[in-house]
Amino acid sequence: MSDDSCSPSTTGTPVPAAAPRPLTPAKVTRQIIATAFFTFLVYLAIGIPMAVLPGYIHLDLGYSSVIAGLGISVQYFATFVSRANAGRMIDTMGAKHTVMRGMLLCSASGGLLLLSALAQPLPFLSLVLLFASRAFLGLGESLVGTGAIMWGVGRVGSENTAKMISWNGIATYAALAIGAPLGVVLDRSLGFAMIGLTGMLLTVLGFVLARGGPVTPVVQGEQLSFKLVLRKVFAYGMGLAFGTIGFGSIATFITLYYADQHWSGAAFALTAFSSAFVGARLLFANVITRFGGYRVAVVCFLTESVGLLLLWSTTTPALALLGAALAGFGFALVFPSLGVEAVSLVSPANRGAALAAYSVFLDLALGITGPLAGAIAGQLGYPQVFLFAAIAAIGGVALSLSLYRSAQQGAKS
C-alpha cells in the first residue's frame, strides 16, 4: 500500500485518505513525557556539577568565592543572551533541529569540563576551560529548554500547550533534584573529571534520541522581530518575574536563613519546595485548560505569597517548612498559566519566539534576585528577604487581575 494522500478504489476513482485519528489523552501524555525527557537529560547534566563546582573553583583551583559564584552565573548569562536566537531557530528551522543543536552544545560543555579537570595542575587554564564549559551549557540549555516545549506542542497540538509546559517543568526540577546529590557521589568516588564525562555522555544520548524523533512541521507565516514579540509578552513576563523572585530567594537564602535562626534541616525546606512544585504540576496540569491561565495565575500568586509571608513571620522551623512548601506549590503553575496566555498573543509562526521572550524574564529575575535580596539581607536581616519576595508575588496578583480584565474587555469589543 502506498503512502499517497489518495488511494484508488475498486472503480479506479481516487478516494481521499482517512483523516488521522485524534490522539487519546493517554497518547498525548506519552508524547509529552517522551519530549520532556530531553529537558530532563539536559537539566540532569546541569544539576550534576551544581553542588561541586563552587568547591572545585574555590578549594581545588584556589580562586576566591566571588570567582566561584561567577563560574555559576556564566551559564545563566549565556542562557539569557541566547533566548532570542533559540526562539527564532525554532520558528525557522524547527523544534527538533533546535533540540539537536542544543544537545551538541551541552555535549561540548561536558567535554570542556572534562578538559578543565585534566588541566587542574594549571589553574588558570582549568578556570578558562570551565568558564567556556558553563557558557556552552547555557547556550545548550536555552535551545533545548525552549525547543523541547515547542516540539512537544507540535506533536500533541496547541490545545495541550499548558500540559507540555507543566511536564517540562517537572522534568527540570526532578533532574535538578537527582543531579545535585549524584554529582557529589561521582566527585567523591570517581573524581571531578567524571562530572564532565557524565554530562557529555548524557547529552550525546539526548542527541541520538532526538535525531530519531519525529519532525514537526515549521509553521509558515510572517516572522515578527524579536523586539516586537518581546513587547507583546512584556506584561506576562513581568508576572513571571514577580513569581520567580520567591523561588530565587528561597533557593539562594533559605540555608543562610536557617543558620541565622539556629535551625537545622534547611535541606528539608528545599526538598519541601521542590516536592510541592512537582506535586502541583502533576495534580493540576489540566486546570489551566479548564479555568484559563489568568485565574490560575491569581490563585498561584496568592498561594506563593502566603508561603513567603509564613517564612517571613515564623519563629519555628516546622512553620518555615510549611511556608517553603506553600511557596513551591504556588509557584508551580505560574510559568505555564501566564505562558499559555502570552504565547496565544502571536501567530503560530512566532510562538517559539514568544516562548523564548517570555522565558527571558525568568532568567532576568534569577539574575537580579541574588544581589538585590543579598543587599536586603545585609541591611535588614534574612527574614525581610521573604517579605520582599511576598510583596513581589502580591504584585503578580494585581498584574494578573489587570491582564484578565483587559482580556475580557478585548473579547467584548
Side-chain angles (χ1 to χ4, degrees):
M1 183 179 293
S2 69
D3 293 327
D4 297 335
S5 60
C6 294
S7 56
S9 68
T10 54
T11 61
T13 303
V15 177
R21 295 180 180 179
L23 293 173
T24 64
K27 287 184 178 179
V28 167
T29 300
R30 284 199 295 271
Q31 293 272 30
I32 286 174
I33 292 174
T35 313
F37 183 67
F38 296 108
T39 300
F40 177 83
L41 288 176
V42 165
Y43 275 88
L44 191 57
I46 290 171
I48 286 173
M50 186 175 292
V52 297
L53 268 182
Y56 177 76
I57 296 172
H58 183 51
L59 300 176
D60 296 335
L61 298 184
Y63 289 95
S64 70
S65 58
V66 174
I67 298 297
L70 186 59
I72 300 296
S73 299
V74 166
Q75 177 197 326
Y76 300 123
F77 179 74
T79 300
F80 174 76
V81 299
S82 61
R83 287 287 188 187
N85 182 60
R88 192 55 64 211
M89 189 180 296
I90 292 165
D91 291 331
T92 55
M93 296 179 56
K96 172 181 174 177
H97 293 291
T98 303
V99 170
M100 289 170 61
R101 289 196 175 194
M103 287 294 181
L104 288 177
L105 287 168
C106 291
S107 300
S109 169
L112 287 167
L113 195 61
L114 175 60
L115 291 175
S116 174
L118 297 177
Q120 184 179 339
L122 301 171
F124 181 73
L125 176 60
S126 180
L127 184 69
V128 169
L129 289 169
L130 190 147
F131 272 45
S133 167
R134 301 295 293 170
F136 273 83
L137 190 59
L139 296 174
E141 174 196 355
S142 179
L143 297 185
V144 176
T146 309
I149 292 175
M150 297 313 298
W151 193 7
V153 169
R155 293 170 73 170
V156 300
S158 59
E159 66 274 14
N160 292 295
T161 298
K163 193 172 184 180
M164 182 65 231
I165 294 176
S166 292
W167 273 99
N168 209 64
I170 291 170
T172 297
Y173 283 86
L176 291 176
I178 294 169
L182 178 59
V184 173
V185 171
L186 289 173
D187 182 45
R188 289 177 178 175
S189 58
L190 299 172
F192 186 74
M194 186 55 63
I195 302 290
L197 180 61
T198 303
M200 183 172 65
L201 293 177
L202 284 170
T203 47
V204 166
L205 172 64
F207 174 81
V208 172
L209 293 175
R211 189 176 183 182
V215 176
T216 53
V218 176
V219 179
Q220 301 300 318
E222 179 187 2
Q223 298 291 324
L224 302 176
S225 69
F226 188 78
K227 185 177 180 180
L228 179 58
V229 173
L230 185 64
R231 194 180 306 144
K232 285 179 175 288
V233 305
F234 180 83
Y236 299 84
M238 285 302 299
L240 174 62
F242 285 150
T244 304
I245 288 172
F247 164 58
S249 297
I250 290 175
T252 307
F253 291 103
I254 194 69
T255 303
L256 296 174
Y257 174 52
Y258 265 60
D260 182 65
Q261 298 295 318
H262 305 289
W263 298 336
S264 60
F268 291 111
L270 291 170
T271 300
F273 180 94
S274 300
S275 299
F277 181 99
V278 172
R281 289 259 175 129
L282 287 172
L283 293 173
F284 299 107
N286 294 323
V287 299
I288 298 171
T289 304
R290 184 177 177 184
F291 296 106
Y294 299 112
R295 294 176 180 176
V296 173
V298 169
V299 174
C300 287
F301 280 123
L302 283 172
T303 305
E304 183 182 7
S305 64
V306 170
L308 291 166
L309 287 171
L310 192 56
L311 275 168
W312 164 63
S313 61
T314 185
T315 56
T316 67
L319 287 177
L321 199 68
L322 177 60
L326 282 172
F329 195 85
F331 180 62
L333 294 181
V334 168
F335 188 104
S337 60
L338 290 178
V340 166
E341 303 296 347
V343 169
S344 70
L345 297 174
V346 300
S347 67
N350 293 278
R351 285 180 179 167
L355 184 63
Y358 175 68
S359 300
V360 160
F361 290 86
L362 186 147
D363 303 325
L364 192 61
L366 288 176
I368 291 174
T369 297
L372 183 57
I376 292 172
Q379 293 295 319
L380 303 173
Y382 289 106
Q384 309 309 317
V385 169
F386 303 110
L387 176 61
F388 158 67
I391 292 170
I394 293 170
V397 174
L399 180 59
S400 299
L401 287 171
S402 176
L403 290 171
Y404 182 42
R405 282 194 292 267
S406 297
Q408 285 185 315
Q409 292 172 358
K412 291 177 181 178
S413 61

